[in-house]
């Protein structure tokens, strides 16, 4: 088993990564005998892993709540259902929430933990690649509002994260690729050697070879943990993790969240940001082609739809909460593995970058 420490003073915690570790007694489940535990999962993941997860919690007073599956249920209504359940089982401040599922369950269960009785412990068991490498680490929790994604939430760090790569065996191929987009993102903005490694191991990654997958997840988490340790509340360097995301969010909004998985939109968004970095002369020509080849080897899309209006993209980006005070604050790259926060792109340059990434109709 591999471990990564997220170093946040008294909120520090360990991420455990291994194969077949779920279901065993484990230091991640340091819950006192007899204490109340609520496992929150969904209709897809619970039949696959709920019973195994319960075995790891033998001795505790374990309850479970199974929610419907999907981003459309990441709402106040379903957050309320978690709170209702905690009240029903008479959970006190020493209770623990265990989130078993992808980023939707992790974010919403995490926010229930952040808000119930002003904050209780929670343990993340992420079961999608995206949530293993990204969403489960760093303490961002919350749910969506009809006016925007993740508008309600809190920073609330988990007590531990347990990544069992066995769970990836049941993950649909498209979801696996979407998770790889976030892996490429972290390599592109802060780890040039990792980017080389991903290129050299792309075939083994797509074959989900356990050793290679474990190394990849560990390195992604270690990178994210370093960023979070430096800037827990995103007042600086943590914004680099939004590489490709301003464009991705616009694309997701304009296509009604139905055409792309988040990671797919991020892949396209990174291509736009890469092209813009080249166009601005910030990084050498060739970077975005390199990025494109890697993303393509992970079966990710590179192009924006041909019929998408660039004005609409820009308008939607203005609504994106990550763009401050009307100036296009974007994450660009200076070289492979070196992201920067930049506000000096002009509208015409952004439009040109979008157009280069638009599929020819
Ligand atoms: N908190 C953060 O820092 C952070 C970072 C990135 C994304 N997110 C959030 O994460 C969410 C996206 O997460 P996601 O991509 O994991 O989506 P998801 O939680 O919707 O999971 C994707 C699909 O895979 C299914 N699934 C999960 N594990 C499975 C398994 N092992 N086998 C088979 N099916 C499985 C789920 O039921 C779902 O249908 C978004 O809401 C996003 O806002 C949060
Ligand atoms: Zn993302």
């Amino acid at each position: 088993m591999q471990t990564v420490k997220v170093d946040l003073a008294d909120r520090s915690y360990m991420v455990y990564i291994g194969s077949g570790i779920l279901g065993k007694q484990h230091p991640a489940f340091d819950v006192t005998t007899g204490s109340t535990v609520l496992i929150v999962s969904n209709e897809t993941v619970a039949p696959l892993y709920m019973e195994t997860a319960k075995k790891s919690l033998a001795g505790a007073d374990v309850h479970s709540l199974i929610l419907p599956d999907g981003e459309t249920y990441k709402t106040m209504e379903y957050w309320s259902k978690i709170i209702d359940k905690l009240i029903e089982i008479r959970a006190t401040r020493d209770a623990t929430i265990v989130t078993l599922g992808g980023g939707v369950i992790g974010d919403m269960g995490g926010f229930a933990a952040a808000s119930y009785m002003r904050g209780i412990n929670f343990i993340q068991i992420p079961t999608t690649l995206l949530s293993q490498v990204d969403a489960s680490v760093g303490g961002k929790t919350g749910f969506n509002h009809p006016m925007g994604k993740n508008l309600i939430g809190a920073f609330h760090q988990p007590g531990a994260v347990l990544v069992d790569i066995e769970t990836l065996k049941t993950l649909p191929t498209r979801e696996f690729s979407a998770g790889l987009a976030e892996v490429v993102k972290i390599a592109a903005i802060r780890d040039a050697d990792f980017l080389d490694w991903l290129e050299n191991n792309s075939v083994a990654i797509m074959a989900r070879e356990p050793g290679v997958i474990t190394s990849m997840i560990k390195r992604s988490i270690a990178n994210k943990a370093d960023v979070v340790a430096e800037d827990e509340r995103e007042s600086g360097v943590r914004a680099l993790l939004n590489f490709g995301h301003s464009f991705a969010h616009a694309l997701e909004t304009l296509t009604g969240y139905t055409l792309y998985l988040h990671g797919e939109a991020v892949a396209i968004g990174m291509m736009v940001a890469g092209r813009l970095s080249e166009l601005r002369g910030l990084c050498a020509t060739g970077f975005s082609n390199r990025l494109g080849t890697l993303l393509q080897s992970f079966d990710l899309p590179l192009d924006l739809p041909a019929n998408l209006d660039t004005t609409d993209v820009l308008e939607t980006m203005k609504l994106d909460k990550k763009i401050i005070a009307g100036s296009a604050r974007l994450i660009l790259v200076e070289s492979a593995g070196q992201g920067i926060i930049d506000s000096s792109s002009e509208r015409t340059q952004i439009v040109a970058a979008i157009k280069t990434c638009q599929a020819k109709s």
Side-chain angles (χ1 to χ4, degrees):
M1 189 177 60
Q2 309 274 332
T3 54
V4 176
K5 184 178 183 191
V6 185
D7 209 343
L8 289 166
D10 60 344
R11 293 180 309 292
S12 297
Y13 53 97
M14 299 301 289
V15 183
Y16 302 90
I17 308 149
S19 181
I21 52 179
L22 187 61
K24 308 217 167 81
Q25 289 289 322
H26 196 277
F29 299 109
D30 183 23
V31 286
T32 327
T33 307
S35 74
T36 307
V37 175
L38 176 63
I39 307 179
V40 180
S41 190
N42 75 20
E43 285 165 350
T44 306
V45 178
L48 297 168
Y49 304 111
M50 180 64 87
E51 287 315 308
T52 317
K54 281 183 177 169
K55 283 188 196 144
S56 286
L57 292 155
D61 176 23
V62 182
H63 301 258
S64 59
L65 178 66
I66 299 167
L67 300 175
D69 182 6
E71 183 80 30
T72 41
Y73 303 102
K74 192 177 151 184
T75 59
M76 184 153 83
E77 187 186 347
Y78 288 90
W79 163 80
S80 284
K81 288 192 191 301
I82 307 175
I83 301 295
D84 292 349
K85 184 75 183 180
L86 288 165
I87 296 167
E88 180 197 316
I89 63 174
R90 297 173 195 281
T92 50
R93 286 214 61 197
D94 58 1
T96 300
I97 290 183
V98 173
T99 55
L100 176 68
V104 167
I105 289 295
D107 278 16
M108 198 162 52
F111 187 57
S115 46
Y116 187 67
M117 292 190 170
R118 300 192 184 88
I120 61 171
N121 182 33
F122 84 115
I123 296 169
Q124 294 258 29
I125 307 177
T127 60
T128 61
L129 181 61
L130 186 137
S131 58
Q132 292 175 349
V133 298
D134 194 349
S136 66
V137 176
K140 281 190 183 176
T141 70
F143 56 76
N144 303 330
H145 184 276
M147 291 304 286
K149 261 193 82 165
N150 300 325
L151 280 184
I152 300 107
F155 285 97
H156 186 61
Q157 300 293 342
V161 181
L162 188 140
V163 176
D164 189 337
I165 64 157
E166 283 281 312
T167 59
L168 294 177
K169 284 190 176 155
T170 54
L171 190 70
T173 318
R174 207 175 149 202
E175 294 287 353
F176 183 76
S177 288
L180 288 173
E182 302 283 10
V183 174
V184 172
K185 172 197 78 179
I186 199 109
I189 51 125
R190 75 186 313 275
D191 193 343
D193 290 344
F194 189 28
L195 202 62
D196 293 341
W197 184 91
L198 290 172
E199 288 170 333
N200 295 333
N201 289 280
S202 63
V203 175
I205 291 167
M206 287 306 272
R208 307 191 198 185
E209 281 181 19
V212 174
I213 293 296
T214 306
S215 304
M216 179 185 81
I217 292 174
K218 184 181 179 189
R219 191 139 174 190
S220 303
I221 295 174
N223 269 298
K224 177 151 186 192
D226 283 351
V227 174
V228 169
E230 205 178 313
D231 176 24
E232 186 181 4
R233 289 179 172 251
E234 202 172 310
S235 49
V237 70
R238 189 164 176 175
L240 290 176
L241 297 174
N242 296 325
F243 178 52
H245 278 62
S246 293
F247 296 107
H249 289 152
L251 198 55
E252 288 178 290
T253 306
L254 290 171
T255 54
Y257 291 93
T258 51
L259 194 57
Y260 300 107
L261 294 178
H262 173 68
E264 294 170 340
V266 169
I268 297 170
M270 288 192 288
M271 287 306 295
V272 180
R275 296 270 185 226
L276 181 58
S277 307
E278 285 179 11
L279 225 130
R280 291 269 319 277
L282 291 170
C283 80
T285 314
F287 170 74
S288 49
N289 280 347
R290 185 181 168 197
L291 195 64
T293 306
L294 182 60
L295 294 170
Q296 233 166 358
S297 73
F298 292 153
D299 284 344
L300 285 159
L302 308 182
D303 297 329
L304 293 122
N307 61 359
L308 212 65
D309 190 286
T310 43
T311 315
D312 288 346
V313 177
L314 291 180
E315 281 303 308
T316 315
M317 283 169 66
K318 268 190 217 143
L319 294 176
D320 187 306
K321 64 183 186 305
K322 277 164 188 145
I323 295 183
I324 290 170
S327 71
R329 185 170 174 263
L330 294 168
I331 310 308
L332 300 177
V333 274
E334 283 184 324
S335 61
Q338 190 67 54
I340 46 160
I341 303 168
D342 180 274
S343 307
S344 25
S345 295
E346 284 167 21
R347 190 188 154 89
T348 48
Q349 295 170 317
I350 301 176
V351 169
I354 293 172
K355 286 202 168 47
T356 19
C357 294
Q358 207 149 19
K360 309 288 171 277
S361 50

